Amino acid sequence: MEILLHVSDKMIGKIDLLMERVPYLAEEITAVDYDIQSSIIRVILDHEDSSKRQELEQHYDELCASLAQTRVIGKTVVRDNLNDDTVEHRAEPVPSLPAAPYLDETDIVLLEQLDRAFIDIARRHGAELREYPSTFGKSNMVRNQYHINFPQNIIGTATVPHNYKHINEFRQQALSHSHHQSLVPTGEILQPCICYHCYEEHQGSRSSQRRVLTAKGRCFRNEISWRKDAFRRTEFTMREIVFVGDQQWVAETRDNIMHDVWALFDRIGLHGKIETATDPFFFSQDVKTKGTYQMVSNAKYELAAVRTTGQESSIASFNYCEDVLCGKYDIADEQGEQLYSGCVAFGTDRWKEAFLDRHGRDRSLWPSFDEQTGVAVQKGQSQSTTLVQQSVLKHDAEQTVVDILNEIFEGKLEVGREDDLNKAGLDSITTIDLIVGLENKLDIQIRDQDLTVANLTSIRSITDMLNTGYGMAPVEEKQGVASGQTK
């Protein structure tokens, strides 16, 4: 059954968000595509059912309504090695092939070489090796909240209870292939990532010592069956590097590892880019707050490999987690101050597929993984730009910022114009409210590249950004307070 869903003008700019979520509207969906000319999303279901059509259309309307207030920020490319030869010129795109049900010797040799290269990078930054179980227990999930943020990915575990009646029922049902009815969920999940084990290991610790751990494991995510291919699998291998310490060191470590990973990527002849990114939050409130805040603060970068077909696949991520996860796992220094953390994740199977896509399966033709014989790292950077409609206004930008903060905090927040707004109570949610409020009240569209932590630190930094980039008239120097008064 085919269902056509109209994309409204308001949702055109959020089509990527929409297309990522439409496949989850119903289990019966077998294909989704978007016609840019007619602004129509075409959905194919595996059977004819008028009630299912109505249900899906209702859920689509609800999804659009929930995404309507989401502030979309475009990605920024911070490094790439793309050129005219990146994509092979083919008459028609080559579809992705399904993943083979096994690994042969070539696959295994390549995976081992890649993992050794990842470990070398981790060791260079002082990492200790770890190996963890393949499941997250209930107590770990309570802290990491993965099942709440990404419920669409969860694969749970189930067992047959140690009870004679249940064991016999299972045996009988197994004869008719209905034994799943006797399985009882344990409440644990198969790990979708590795890093939360590292945090659990140091849960409740009190030490200012910097720590770096690296671990590899099999991970599991409930991918939609018709979207699976060699790059998108239910079961895959991931290596992560997790680092915990003081704020500046964590931020620098994330960036330094990112530099080393890019050098490896470029050295072995892969093509792609590093760009700002967000986690694939499913629910709009998470997209609006956590996702947009990740973009604003450059908290997450992704390395996307470009295949010879032109398709892009994320193969690594570089995450600056601030003090969020250390707070959840009660990881602090000797004085009880929460530490900061970051992690770098490698999708090892995707690296393998990207490498084979470029170099084939003849090992004699592969480039060397040896850093001494590799190609020099390209240090050039490219910046994506966004066309912005600017309004040249003679407006007291500072007073506008103060007024919006008054509305957000109901006049209860009092800060000087130099004070740190984050420490005063501005979080990811209220930051987005502030951005939207400024755009609405000043009738401007703030450029994505201006939405940085530095520009949003204080009333003064926000005012300077508006005065410099958006034609607001600078006003006489004064001490502004969020209560609307002046000192």
Side-chain angles (χ1 to χ4, degrees):
M1 179 170 65
E2 179 181 272
I3 299 177
L4 302 180
L5 303 172
H6 176 67
V7 180
S8 68
D9 292 342
K10 290 184 178 180
M11 297 305 299
I12 293 293
K14 302 171 184 177
I15 189 62
D16 289 342
L17 283 177
L18 200 56
M19 288 297 290
E20 182 63 30
R21 287 154 183 77
V22 166
Y24 293 96
L25 291 179
E27 189 72 29
E28 296 83 2
I29 294 176
T30 59
V32 176
D33 60 61
Y34 174 59
D35 183 352
I36 193 172
Q37 300 298 325
S38 61
S39 299
I40 293 292
I41 296 175
R42 187 172 68 99
V43 178
I44 305 298
L45 273 64
D46 62 5
H47 64 275
E48 296 285 340
D49 186 341
S50 59
S51 63
K52 180 59 66 175
R53 176 190 295 272
Q54 295 175 352
E55 179 181 309
L56 190 144
E57 290 174 343
Q58 178 184 344
H59 290 166
Y60 175 73
D61 290 341
E62 292 173 0
L63 176 62
C64 290
S66 69
L67 292 174
Q69 301 303 314
T70 301
R71 175 60 158 86
V72 176
I73 297 179
K75 296 181 178 181
T76 299
V77 176
V78 297
R79 185 169 292 182
D80 74 70
N81 60 1
L82 303 174
N83 53 54
D84 293 339
D85 298 325
T86 297
V87 180
E88 293 183 3
H89 298 289
R90 297 175 175 173
E92 294 182 1
V94 178
S96 297
L97 298 175
Y102 62 89
L103 299 176
D104 64 16
E105 184 167 337
T106 298
D107 293 316
I108 294 169
V109 167
L110 179 53
L111 286 169
E112 289 176 346
Q113 284 186 278
L114 286 165
D115 196 52
R116 280 198 298 271
F118 301 155
I119 291 175
D120 286 346
I121 292 174
R123 289 291 205 188
R124 201 176 304 162
H125 295 274
E128 295 182 9
L129 294 173
R130 289 291 188 272
E131 187 171 312
Y132 296 107
S134 296
T135 57
F136 286 156
K138 293 179 182 178
S139 60
N140 198 345
M141 290 167 60
V142 166
R143 290 184 181 273
N144 65 53
Q145 301 284 286
Y146 186 95
H147 55 313
I148 294 176
N149 292 322
F150 311 104
Q152 73 276 16
N153 292 343
I154 294 301
I155 299 178
T157 64
T159 63
V160 177
H162 295 165
N163 174 282
Y164 179 83
K165 177 182 178 181
H166 282 95
I167 294 171
N168 195 45
E169 285 179 353
F170 181 87
R171 283 165 50 84
Q172 295 300 316
Q173 291 173 349
L175 296 175
S176 60
H177 309 293
S178 60
H179 50 279
H180 61 278
Q181 298 176 15
S182 293
L183 291 172
V184 177
T186 65
E188 295 185 338
I189 67 169
L190 295 174
Q191 62 181 6
C193 58
I194 309 295
C195 60
Y196 296 129
H197 288 300
C198 299
Y199 290 103
E200 187 176 43
E201 176 183 339
H202 292 284
Q203 180 178 320
S205 64
R206 292 291 180 271
S207 173
S208 56
Q209 181 180 359
R210 295 166 177 173
R211 285 156 275 182
V212 185
L213 302 175
T214 183
K216 180 183 76 170
R218 300 297 286 176
C219 295
F220 305 83
R221 295 183 186 178
N222 185 27
E223 295 288 355
I224 295 172
S225 59
W226 53 270
R227 300 175 76 187
K228 295 179 188 177
D229 59 22
F231 283 80
R232 186 189 289 266
R233 310 180 185 208
T234 297
E235 180 181 356
F236 55 94
T237 300
M238 181 185 291
R239 175 169 291 282
E240 294 200 51
I241 307 171
V242 176
F243 34 99
V244 176
D246 57 272
Q247 183 176 11
Q248 181 176 350
W249 175 80
V250 166
E252 291 175 352
T253 299
R254 190 274 302 264
D255 293 344
N256 290 336
I257 295 177
M258 185 164 66
H259 173 81
D260 290 347
V261 173
W262 176 258
L264 169 67
F265 178 84
D266 196 46
R267 186 167 66 246
I268 62 178
L270 299 185
H271 296 270
K273 57 189 176 182
I274 295 178
E275 60 187 359
T276 53
T278 63
D279 287 314
F281 300 107
F282 186 78
F283 291 97
S284 61
Q285 62 267 32
D286 294 327
V287 179
K288 177 183 177 182
T289 56
K290 302 170 189 173
T292 305
Y293 189 71
Q294 282 180 325
M295 282 292 209
V296 169
S297 61
N298 292 337
K300 184 180 183 72
Y301 293 98
E302 281 187 345
L303 171 56
V306 178
R307 310 181 216 173
T308 54
T309 61
Q311 295 170 286
E312 298 180 7
S313 294
S314 174
I315 64 174
S317 65
F318 312 90
N319 307 279
Y320 173 55
C321 307
E322 299 188 340
D323 59 351
V324 175
L325 287 172
C326 285
K328 288 183 176 181
Y329 286 85
D330 189 27
I331 301 172
D333 62 17
E334 293 86 348
Q335 288 72 45
E337 291 292 324
Q338 287 178 6
L339 296 178
Y340 287 70
S341 71
C343 75
V344 173
F346 302 91
T348 312
D349 300 282
R350 291 188 176 189
W351 278 78
K352 173 180 74 72
E353 293 299 330
F355 186 94
L356 294 175
D357 176 69
R358 284 286 164 190
H359 303 300
R361 303 186 70 84
D362 184 346
R363 282 181 263 170
S364 67
L365 301 178
W366 288 0
S368 173
F369 279 71
D370 187 346
E371 188 168 358
Q372 302 305 316
T373 61
V375 181
V377 180
Q378 295 182 1
K379 297 183 185 293
Q381 296 185 352
S382 65
Q383 292 286 342
S384 66
T385 57
T386 305
L387 294 176
V388 180
Q389 178 185 4
Q390 296 187 28
S391 298
V392 180
L393 303 175
K394 299 302 181 183
H395 198 288
D396 187 340
E398 180 182 321
Q399 189 57 52
T400 301
V401 176
V402 170
D403 291 343
I404 294 172
L405 289 172
N406 260 327
E407 293 175 7
I408 292 173
F409 293 100
E410 299 179 349
K412 298 176 182 177
L413 181 71
E414 183 171 318
V415 293
R417 67 193 305 258
E418 306 284 353
D419 293 345
D420 189 317
L421 291 174
N422 183 260
K423 292 181 179 179
L426 198 72
D427 57 17
S428 59
I429 298 175
T430 48
T431 297
I432 308 309
D433 290 339
L434 175 59
I435 293 169
V436 173
L438 288 170
E439 292 180 328
N440 289 339
K441 289 204 172 188
L442 298 177
D443 191 26
I444 61 173
Q445 178 73 27
I446 300 176
R447 293 180 291 261
D448 292 348
Q449 58 264 40
D450 288 338
L451 296 174
T452 65
V453 172
N455 282 345
L456 300 173
T457 298
S458 65
I459 292 175
R460 168 141 193 187
S461 66
I462 298 170
T463 302
D464 288 346
M465 179 262 290
L466 294 171
N467 289 338
T468 302
Y470 300 88
M472 308 301 160
V475 295
E476 183 180 351
E477 192 75 15
K478 61 185 179 181
Q479 284 289 323
V481 292
S483 62
Q485 305 171 355
T486 57
K487 294 182 181 179

